[in-house]
Amino acid sequence: MQIIHHGAVNGVTGSCHQLDINPQHPSSYLIDCGLFQGAETAGKNSADQLQIDFPIDNINALIVTHCHIDHVGRIPYLLAAGFNQPIYATMATAALLPLVIEDALKVGVTRDKKLIQACLNQLNKLIVPIEYNQWVSLPINLSPHTTQPFKQIKLKFKPAGHILGSAYVELDLKGPNYKHRVVFSGDLGATYAPLLASPKSPYRADTLVIESTYGDKNHQGRKDRSKQLKDIIEKAVKDNGVVLIPAFSIGRTQELLYEFEHIIYRNQHNPMWQNIDIIVDSPMAANFTKKYREFRNLWDNEAKQKLKQGRHPLDFEQLITIDSHQDHIAVINYLDSVNKPAIIIAASGMCTGGRISNYLSRFLPKATTDVLFVGYQAKGTTGQDIQQYGPQGGYVYIDEQRIDIKASIHTISGYSAHADQHNLINFVKRMHHKPKHIRIVHGDDEAKQALASAYQALLPMAEIEIGKA
């Protein structure tokens, strides 16, 4: 058995891992097939970033952990390369995946409706929806002429608490005299995050491949981050300026809406909170929010209790959703011409494109503007540049235009949908049978090194390594 990485080893994007269970007669499985972003695209043209530069003839299946673009964005190119095997995903991920791929094609590839539909038709043929906590046998290449270390491989999805439908993957490999369990973490969610239940550790892992986005940091507590969010917004809108929150359409946007509903509910006698507009300027986010409501059986108990109380955490009175591009431009012009505060949530979460770019171009030069980052900003992204240079009164380039930053810049790490170091350590600590081999991926160098040291201290006899391409 060997694990080969086709992404997420030099940073936090492009997740794509190949499990090869028999080098003599190749039989392989892909876990995710994501897009590269930020610094990881430096020096590469679009074709280089997107091409499938590894053989796919012996790949028996693609297993999708969740629908973020850095985990699924290369799927159209995998299909174009001739991949024609099952694509396994949880029920919710299977429902979301076509929406994500359609949007990715429209934004980054083509507006040709026939081409897009052809890709989606092929995708829908291959998707196999699987319930959580259900073992499923995977197809396997067996040859009578070679020694087969494994005769059977089974898959189980377990809730990862990262976004709707997200999962970590358990793969059980069984042979005549040998068995081995491999766990791929995907992206693990933070504990006590709103909406989704926290991930529970697997009973057992022999080999663990785990993300390390926040392997060197711990998030602030839920009460602290909620108070910080409320305080930043109240201070920011005193000068009637806008608050821009870059957020991914799936996951972060819904968590923010949940939190804003909570703050509004608890401040029913505060005119500011009862009157401020909360604008979600993203058709994709609106579609995903509908899916979150459809799959409310996956919400945690706190969120379900609010529904029983007659509250609507993702559909409240002050929420305004912007759909068309024409309305998007009209909202920007309107907010630029009036002396009225508003909170705008728009993608992309790392400011690498999407509608947030137009807001930033218009409002970053205004001293009354506040920009609030609530998620990880990868190296080389516009978001990271704003985070780094904005507090110094610097500038940033958006669509090749220099934009001077006079806006106030804030960061709340506690709203990250990623597990922090404490969560990542507990994920291993709470396993009944702990791994003898851990491979760390999906993180910057400092985060991976810090997490590796922590795991080595926890498991002195285990092999702890950092993944390499």
Side-chain angles (χ1 to χ4, degrees), residues 421-437:
Q421 187 190 64
H422 181 72
N423 300 147
L424 294 169
I425 292 170
N426 277 343
F427 186 73
V428 173
K429 187 183 288 185
R430 290 171 180 167
M431 293 181 189
H432 200 80
H433 292 283
K434 296 176 175 56
K436 297 178 177 65
H437 174 211

Side-chain angles (χ1 to χ4, degrees), residues 100-284:
V100 173
I101 295 301
E102 181 179 7
D103 184 65
L105 289 170
K106 286 178 180 176
V107 172
V109 182
T110 180
R111 288 277 177 176
D112 188 316
K113 292 182 180 178
K114 289 183 179 179
L115 283 176
I116 292 171
Q117 195 56 51
C119 180
L120 294 177
N121 289 344
Q122 181 65 4
L123 177 66
N124 285 320
K125 285 179 187 175
L126 301 179
I127 293 176
V128 181
I130 304 295
E131 296 280 3
Y132 282 119
N133 301 309
Q134 175 182 316
W135 284 112
V136 175
S137 293
L138 299 183
I140 186 171
N141 292 336
L142 294 174
S143 170
H145 307 298
T146 58
T147 303
Q148 298 289 339
F150 300 111
K151 298 288 188 183
Q152 183 186 47
I153 178 167
K154 294 196 298 183
L155 157 75
K156 185 198 286 184
F157 287 118
K158 299 288 286 290
H162 178 62
I163 63 170
L164 185 71
S166 63
Y168 67 83
V169 175
E170 294 185 352
L171 292 167
D172 239 15
L173 313 179
K174 292 184 179 179
N177 305 303
Y178 184 64
K179 63 181 181 179
H180 195 86
R181 182 169 295 178
V182 186
V183 173
F184 288 85
S185 73
D187 285 351
L188 295 173
T191 53
Y192 309 117
L195 274 176
L196 300 177
S198 302
K200 294 180 180 178
S201 300
Y203 181 81
R204 170 187 167 197
D206 297 304
T207 295
L208 171 65
V209 179
I210 192 162
E211 66 125 323
S212 59
T213 311
Y214 283 95
D216 58 344
K217 294 181 179 68
N218 285 311
H219 303 320
Q220 63 201 123
R222 173 110 181 253
K223 286 184 179 179
D224 289 339
R225 75 188 183 201
S226 182
K227 183 179 185 303
Q228 190 177 357
L229 177 67
K230 176 177 176 288
D231 290 346
I232 287 173
I233 297 297
E234 288 179 349
K235 186 176 179 181
V237 302
K238 281 184 178 177
D239 55 11
N240 289 323
V242 299
V243 180
L244 306 179
I245 307 180
F248 290 111
S249 298
I250 178 169
R252 197 68 43 77
T253 293
Q254 291 76 29
E255 288 186 6
L256 285 167
L257 294 181
Y258 183 95
E259 196 75 323
F260 279 129
E261 188 277 341
H262 179 72
I263 293 171
I264 290 167
Y265 180 80
R266 297 194 54 161
N267 289 270
Q268 296 182 29
H269 303 295
N270 184 327
M272 189 284 286
W273 282 108
Q274 298 308 308
N275 294 305
I276 193 167
D277 292 331
I278 297 172
I279 300 169
V280 174
D281 193 344
S282 168
M284 283 295 290

Side-chain angles (χ1 to χ4, degrees), residues 373-450:
F373 290 103
V374 291
Y376 186 83
Q377 303 301 307
K379 289 180 179 178
T381 60
T382 304
Q384 205 247 8
D385 288 344
I386 295 171
Q387 227 176 13
Q388 182 176 351
Y389 301 115
Q392 306 167 23
Y395 60 89
V396 68
Y397 280 93
I398 299 176
D399 294 330
E400 300 182 356
Q401 299 290 318
R402 173 177 162 154
I403 308 294
D404 292 323
I405 303 173
K406 295 182 180 176
S408 297
I409 312 299
H410 315 271
T411 298
I412 305 179
S413 70
Y415 282 102
S416 174
H418 284 273
D420 62 11
Q421 187 190 64
H422 181 72
N423 300 147
L424 294 169
I425 292 170
N426 277 343
F427 186 73
V428 173
K429 187 183 288 185
R430 290 171 180 167
M431 293 181 189
H432 200 80
H433 292 283
K434 296 176 175 56
K436 297 178 177 65
H437 174 211
I438 298 177
R439 187 174 293 182
I440 299 170
V441 297
H442 198 287
D444 292 327
D445 290 343
E446 302 85 355
K448 286 186 283 195
Q449 293 288 352

